[in-house]
Amino acid sequence: MKTVGIFNDTSTSGHFGCTAVMNTLVSELERRQIKPAYLWPVGLDWQPYTAKLEQAEPDMIIVNGEGTIHHSTERKRTRDLLAVAPYAKSQGKPAHLVNASITALDASAIEALRAFDTIHVRESESRQYLAEHKIEAQIVPDLSLGISAPKPAETRDGIIVTDSVYRDTAQGLKNFSDLANANFVKMKKRLPFQARLISKIQRNIQGSPASTKWRPRSDVEAFVRDLAGKELLVTGRFHSVLLSILTDTPFIALPSNTRKIEAVLHDALISGSRLISPNDLLSQKFLAETRRGIPFTSDELEALASYRTNAKISRSAMFDLIADSVL
């Protein structure tokens, strides 16, 4: 069996969308007889631990670019992950960047990207950005679409509201949920103290934050089942939008910290009609619209079905390519 070093295991945050992404990533690799040599957690600098990581001797390296490859001048996390590619090259290991949205990189970050053997981005705006820098990339929609969708609800009822990466927008969404008598859910659950303590003890024993076996930290299946029974989602979260696309749940979205939501809406629906600004959120007009319902049109449902089909095809091709990078 081949082995892989996976960087940026975002599921350690407890975020529902990140759990879905990592579930797909690990399971698709396992189907191709590839198991993790290690999984490096989100937000931690791996470079002080290179000697420890090299002991695992992975056959290849994968970087989960989710939520990370942007604004490299201000974000050390971006620079740390991009440094993986030149490092992998120095070790003679193929390196693959997957599930990325990419924008606003400085010259050194762009140069580091060139060391990846393959780059797969989540939407067309990122591919266009890279093309402007003469870097080739393929589009594979977000890996959260790879988890199993629940059986469609016979009847949908109620509104679900999820939060935002922006504190003010998250508060606005909470205020809207109160006015609309809607269920408000934070996408990122704080892990219990005991789980955090166990993780810290394990790191001290192992001498490294890396793990060798993936486990979910949040119940994304329960969240998706709940979502699939709702008439409408209102959200500022990218992965809430993707899981709505997975379950054919009508949604209204607010912008996030990059244009990733706008880009996905363009790719999936060729429209920004389901995007509003934070200023619209508490307007009487929007509240009245949500009370009447904002269902998908037949054209939207057809477009989303096509988007999911294309995502499945491109996802399979990407993992086949990764598997074939090591004989």
Side-chain angles (χ1 to χ4, degrees):
M1 182 175 275
K2 301 171 187 175
T3 61
V4 58
I6 300 174
F7 287 85
N8 201 32
D9 175 4
T10 50
S11 69
T12 59
S13 68
H15 191 296
F16 291 128
C18 300
T19 297
V21 165
M22 290 303 300
N23 186 314
T24 300
L25 178 56
V26 172
S27 61
E28 289 283 359
L29 290 170
E30 285 179 346
R31 288 190 190 104
R32 292 161 177 82
Q33 300 299 300
I34 303 171
K35 68 176 183 178
Y38 56 80
L39 299 104
W40 189 264
V42 62
L44 296 179
D45 186 0
W46 57 274
Q47 292 167 103
Y49 298 90
T50 53
K52 186 75 174 177
L53 296 177
E54 285 168 15
Q55 291 175 15
E57 298 184 335
D59 296 308
M60 66 188 80
I61 298 293
I62 291 178
V63 173
N64 170 27
E66 173 197 347
T68 307
I69 313 299
H70 60 90
H71 298 95
S72 54
T73 302
E74 306 100 273
R75 302 181 82 246
K76 182 178 184 298
R77 185 180 300 183
T78 300
R79 299 192 297 274
D80 288 346
L81 281 186
L82 289 175
V84 171
Y87 166 74
K89 197 169 188 177
S90 73
Q91 297 293 305
K93 312 287 186 183
H96 307 279
L97 177 61
V98 304
N99 209 50
S101 288
I102 301 177
T103 191
L105 300 181
D106 62 15
S108 61
I110 290 291
E111 197 57 34
L113 274 175
R114 300 185 195 280
F116 281 104
D117 292 85
T118 65
I119 297 176
H120 292 84
V121 295
R122 301 186 290 188
E123 26 69 25
S124 57
E125 283 195 14
S126 290
R127 185 171 68 176
Q128 178 59 36
Y129 176 80
L130 292 177
E132 291 168 4
H133 294 278
K134 296 182 170 53
I135 296 175
E136 184 179 351
Q138 303 301 317
I139 299 175
V140 177
D142 190 78
L143 295 183
S144 61
L145 293 175
I147 66 170
S148 298
K151 184 179 179 181
E154 292 184 8
T155 58
R156 292 177 177 267
D157 181 54
I159 299 172
I160 184 170
V161 181
T162 63
D163 57 341
S164 167
V165 68
Y166 293 126
R167 184 175 299 177
D168 290 347
T169 302
Q171 185 59 55
L173 285 158
K174 178 64 172 66
N175 294 341
F176 166 79
S177 73
D178 292 339
L179 289 172
N181 195 28
N183 185 26
F184 182 77
V185 177
K186 291 183 177 181
M187 286 294 284
K188 188 175 180 179
K189 300 290 187 182
R190 182 170 173 78
L191 299 177
F193 172 77
Q194 184 178 9
R196 286 181 278 125
L197 179 61
I198 291 172
S199 179
K200 184 175 182 180
I201 292 170
Q202 287 176 337
R203 287 202 301 268
N204 290 337
I205 293 172
Q206 296 169 180
S208 165
S211 59
T212 57
K213 186 175 178 59
W214 182 74
R215 59 183 178 87
R217 270 78 165 188
S218 59
D219 192 349
V220 66
E221 289 84 3
F223 173 76
V224 169
R225 283 195 303 271
D226 186 33
L227 179 63
K230 299 300 183 184
E231 289 181 278
L232 180 69
L233 164 82
V234 181
T235 185
R237 290 281 189 179
F238 175 81
H239 277 120
S240 294
V241 171
L242 268 294
L243 295 174
S244 290
I245 291 173
L246 176 72
T247 57
D248 272 340
T249 303
F251 61 85
I252 295 294
L254 285 75
S256 187
N257 56 348
T258 69
R259 281 184 49 83
K260 56 193 173 188
I261 291 178
E262 293 91 328
V264 164
L265 294 186
H266 177 270
D267 291 350
L269 295 172
I270 320 177
S271 168
S273 62
R274 291 192 170 268
L275 191 76
I276 65 170
S277 76
N279 293 333
D280 298 327
L281 189 59
L282 300 178
S283 69
Q284 289 301 314
K285 178 183 177 183
F286 181 63
L287 283 168
E289 287 176 350
T290 60
R291 291 188 183 113
R292 289 193 300 269
I294 313 175
F296 285 133
T297 66
S298 58
D299 286 346
E300 285 178 320
L301 287 170
E302 184 178 344
L304 293 178
S306 176
Y307 183 73
R308 290 192 298 268
T309 297
N310 290 335
K312 184 177 181 179
I313 293 169
S314 61
R315 188 169 60 244
S316 179
M318 177 183 76
F319 283 108
D320 287 345
L321 181 65
I322 290 171
D324 291 342
S325 68
V326 175
L327 299 176

